[in-house]
Amino acid sequence: MLCLSSFLFFASFNMIIPELPAYLTSLGGEDYKGLIISLFTLTAGLSRPFSGKLADKIGRIPVMVFGAGICFVVSLMYPVITSVAGFLLLRFVHGFSTGFTPTGVSAYVADIVPFNRRGEAMGLQSLFGSMGMAAGPALGGYIGQIWGIEPLFYASAFTAILSILVIIRLKETMQDPEKMSRKHLRLHRHEIIEKRVLQPSLVLLLTVFSFGTVLTIIPDYSEYLGIQNKGLFFAVFTLSSLGIRIIAGKTSDKYGRIPVMKVATLSMAIAMVLIAFAQSKTMLMLGGVIFGCSVGMNSPTISAWTIDLSLDAYRGRALATMYIALEAGIGIGALISGWVFANKAENFPLVFSLGAITAIIAFFYLFLLPKEQRFLVPEDKE
């Protein structure tokens, strides 16, 4: 049930992404394309400390429901507010959705899965999320082409409400959750960042820089290469990540998180170089396949590594810290790529090469970790 809800949630807000750059341009905001993703991720990052604390205090399910509810409401508002400023405000608010729901989902998974199968479980959960990320843009691109942008926004809202109907059927895993009160919205300094998980969070920030670039620039790049469905690349890279997620999770359970991450970061660098210098649809899609494999290895392994290092009582906070790094990396990648691209086709190679550089930095950083980090496997903790 949790996996089904994740599928619907990720499909909801991802199905509109391929059409947003063109929609913003139609509103007269072509110079603000970099803000489409960066504003979304900024809010998600800012809300993570609150979602982490609330997940640890009032329960996992209320946090998941709140995030999906934001998706529903905002998707209904897009057709109503048609100014550039209003659109950017909605993108800012929309970010609360991913600031809350994934934190609750990851904590819920960690609650119900034994340590020695944690990587496998995170791989399975992220598999369904990725299927939503693949189905969303592909379906969204189709709806946008056939029926237009407004029906697409309504389809996004409908998908979000379906995910809520699934979530509310789940049983809360927290023992004795507290009632919501004002004190839960007051953050102390030590409640913002969980220091125990800074190392995986830094690796995540460096690797998802490329993801922000892809989300922002690929729709224009696809059009430049003559690809009509701007969601096709998203479908290719996400589908290529599906099968490898569970394999990567199981491998990290057996051999450790760091060896898998080394392969993931190196693959990311190779993919971004291929994408940067693609001159055809075939080469772009090949880069998308390798990019997807990298993402498929990265996501469940980083999540499991973060949970490995966290304390049970502060699991929500630890996962929130990881997601802050996720949003920061995506947001920075989106903002910088939009600024460097500047709507000039000759800048495509430079934009994607920056993602290769950050992935290489992450690759070498993994070799600098303390020995106990580099070889952490389930048996060590047991």
Side-chain angles (χ1 to χ4, degrees):
M1 296 290 283
L2 186 68
C3 287
L4 173 59
S5 179
S6 290
F7 171 83
L8 294 168
F9 172 75
F10 280 98
S12 171
F13 72 87
N14 275 285
M15 67 169 55
I16 64 175
I17 286 177
E19 299 299 324
L20 289 184
Y23 182 65
L24 181 57
T25 298
S26 72
L27 298 178
E30 62 272 7
D31 293 332
Y32 302 100
K33 290 178 182 177
L35 296 178
I36 291 174
I37 302 300
S38 57
L39 281 177
F40 185 93
T41 55
L42 173 63
T43 320
L46 292 175
S47 64
R48 294 292 184 184
F50 295 97
S51 67
K53 181 176 181 177
L54 291 173
D56 288 334
K57 297 295 183 181
I58 68 171
R60 322 304 195 192
I61 292 177
V63 168
M64 290 188 275
V65 170
F66 179 78
I70 292 291
C71 265
F72 171 68
V73 173
V74 172
S75 294
L76 291 178
M77 293 297 295
Y78 278 116
V80 177
I81 299 179
T82 56
S83 67
V84 173
F87 173 86
L88 296 176
L89 176 62
L90 285 178
R91 289 304 293 167
F92 184 79
V93 175
H94 206 163
F96 280 107
S97 61
T98 55
F100 277 79
T101 297
T103 302
V105 168
S106 297
Y108 197 101
V109 173
D111 290 343
I112 62 177
V113 173
F115 181 83
N116 61 356
R117 300 190 68 185
R118 185 170 289 158
E120 179 184 356
M122 297 308 297
L124 182 61
Q125 184 271 319
S126 67
L127 168 65
F128 278 82
S130 294
M131 289 170 63
M133 292 175 69
L139 180 60
Y142 178 77
I143 294 174
Q145 283 183 331
I146 302 300
W147 289 289
I149 192 70
E150 285 196 16
L152 175 58
F153 290 138
Y154 296 136
S156 173
F158 177 74
T159 309
I161 202 67
L162 287 180
S163 80
I164 294 175
L165 294 176
V166 175
I167 291 172
I168 59 178
R169 296 174 60 87
L170 300 175
K171 181 181 178 181
E172 178 59 58
T173 56
M174 264 200 69
Q175 299 295 323
D176 303 318
E178 301 175 11
K179 289 185 178 181
M180 180 67 188
S181 67
R182 289 183 179 180
K183 68 178 182 179
H184 294 133
L185 299 178
R186 293 194 295 268
L187 288 175
H188 300 287
R189 185 172 58 182
H190 68 277
E191 293 177 320
I192 298 175
I193 296 293
E194 179 57 62
K195 294 181 180 179
R196 294 175 63 92
V197 299
L198 286 178
Q199 291 168 335
S201 297
L202 177 59
V203 174
L204 182 62
L205 186 150
L206 290 168
T207 53
V208 297
F209 179 95
S210 300
F211 200 78
T213 300
V214 164
L215 290 175
T216 305
I217 306 299
I218 282 295
D220 285 326
Y221 200 28
S222 298
E223 187 175 1
Y224 172 74
L225 293 175
I227 302 171
Q228 289 188 342
N229 188 339
K230 289 175 282 189
L232 182 61
F233 179 89
F234 296 98
V236 167
F237 93 71
T238 309
L239 288 171
S240 70
S241 77
L242 298 185
I244 202 169
R245 287 178 180 269
I246 298 178
I247 297 172
K250 285 185 175 181
T251 303
S252 75
D253 284 337
K254 186 174 182 179
Y255 299 106
R257 316 302 184 195
I258 307 304
V260 175
M261 286 307 306
K262 288 177 180 177
V263 177
T265 52
L266 186 59
S267 300
M268 176 72 73
I270 294 171
M272 294 307 288
V273 170
L274 284 174
I275 294 170
F277 298 100
Q279 296 297 316
S280 65
K281 175 180 176 180
T282 301
M283 190 171 177
L284 179 64
M285 294 307 154
L286 175 60
V289 169
I290 299 175
F291 182 79
C293 290
S294 172
V295 171
M297 290 184 279
N298 181 62
S299 178
T301 308
I302 285 280
S303 298
W305 183 14
T306 299
I307 297 169
D308 292 344
L309 298 176
S310 66
L311 301 175
D312 291 347
Y314 304 117
R315 185 169 287 160
R317 184 196 305 172
L319 288 164
T321 300
M322 180 195 75
Y323 282 118
I324 289 172
L326 175 76
E327 310 299 353
I330 295 175
I332 293 170
L335 195 61
I336 291 179
S337 64
W339 176 70
V340 173
F341 173 47
N343 293 308
K344 296 179 181 178
E346 62 267 25
N347 291 332
F348 281 131
L350 175 59
V351 169
F352 293 106
S353 295
L354 293 176
I357 293 171
T358 58
I360 286 294
I361 293 172
F363 175 73
F364 285 110
Y365 174 74
L366 291 167
F367 288 92
L368 301 178
L369 293 176
K371 186 176 181 180
E372 62 271 17
Q373 284 283 346
R374 284 186 277 138
F375 298 100
L376 178 66
V377 293
E379 288 75 10
D380 294 333
K381 194 164 184 176
E382 290 176 346

